[in-house]
Amino acid sequence: MNYIGSKHKLSHWLLTNIQSVCGTDLSAKICCDLFAGTGSVGRKLKPLVKGVIANDLEYYSYVLNRNYIGNNINLDAEKYLEELNNLKPVSGFIYQTYSESGAANRLYFSAENGKKIDAIRTQIEKWYISNSINEDLYFFLLASLLESADKVANTASVYGAYLKKIKKSAQKALVLKAADFECTNGSHTVFNEDSNALIQSIEGDILYLDPPYNARQYGANYHLLNTIAKKDTFVPRGKTGLRDYSKSAFCSKLEVEQAFDNLIASANFNTIFLSYNNEGLMPAELVKKIMQRYGKYDLVTTEYQRFKADKTESRNHKATTTTEFLHILEK
């Protein structure tokens, strides 16, 4: 997924720096990815560590991580994927509310793909409710649907708005592809909680933090993935069909400093790594000031291509690269 703040391209750089501080052999370490997103960092660490704790406030993120991190036994899923791909289309909530030709005519998906999403999501839920599939397979199939639907979404990467015409990639028929995960010797857990609440009850060796760094709320930018994942009932708001969502203190200029200080103070981990960039709400000096209160501080940086959701953002932000700060605290 082309995801805001994704660390997929930086995962090797992050791992190199984690190992330079904590040692190349991480096999006895418990690592926590507290703002996991699509799970890039947790997936990188999963085969190398004793255990990964993954967490995110957004439910679609929980689904992805529950599959990629939480699933750790091979599944016999091929027949289920085949059956889901061959279902007859259904005129359900996604088609009516978020698709071309639906009652609301919000062009997030083509008419065909909206109906496919409805059919697949409905069948997955039927199987789960009737105990025809277990929890592992349920989240594997849900993760596969989220990623497959995202590939044919008629958006400029995020779901804050849809495009006025169905673009070429969104005209392609949705094909449900497996969200294959890696099985390891470790034991891994996944949470769907507020980070500052969860930090009170977990502990380990390495804490990796990649919080939101600006005012963009993930619940708004990826609301439609939450809707597909949750399969709940609500009244969509406004032109874009927004749902109610939880707001993160890390997206608030007024709240972020206190939230970050509380998080670091409460963290029961030996080493903390914070990914943040030069466009964040907290200046690097402020981050340093807070982290230095709790132990030995260090900093490494790198440049990489900045995330641009659409052409408008490209015009507004002429910079093509951004500087990633990796703040390091040995508590």
Side-chain angles (χ1 to χ4, degrees), residues 224-271:
L224 195 41
L225 295 185
N226 273 335
T227 295
I228 295 171
K230 290 185 174 184
K231 201 182 187 302
D232 55 0
T233 302
F234 63 95
V235 178
R237 293 187 284 108
K239 184 177 180 180
T240 59
L242 199 63
R243 60 183 294 134
D244 290 337
Y245 60 91
S246 299
K247 293 184 178 181
S248 171
F250 287 87
C251 296
S252 167
K253 194 171 184 179
L254 296 175
E255 299 177 50
V256 62
E257 181 178 347
Q258 188 62 58
F260 180 61
D261 195 331
N262 291 344
L263 185 63
I264 299 300
S266 301
N268 194 9
F269 287 80
N270 301 326
T271 313

Side-chain angles (χ1 to χ4, degrees), residues 60 93-94 97-99 106-109 117 146 149 153-155 158-160 162 218-231 234 240-243:
Y60 68 84
F93 186 75
I94 298 299
T97 314
Y98 296 104
S99 303
R106 297 185 179 100
L107 305 186
Y108 284 106
F109 296 105
I117 293 168
L146 289 181
N154 190 47
T155 67
V158 297
Y159 295 82
Y162 50 83
Y218 280 76
N221 275 311
Y222 295 96
H223 67 96
L224 195 41
L225 295 185
N226 273 335
T227 295
I228 295 171
K230 290 185 174 184
K231 201 182 187 302
F234 63 95
T240 59
L242 199 63
R243 60 183 294 134

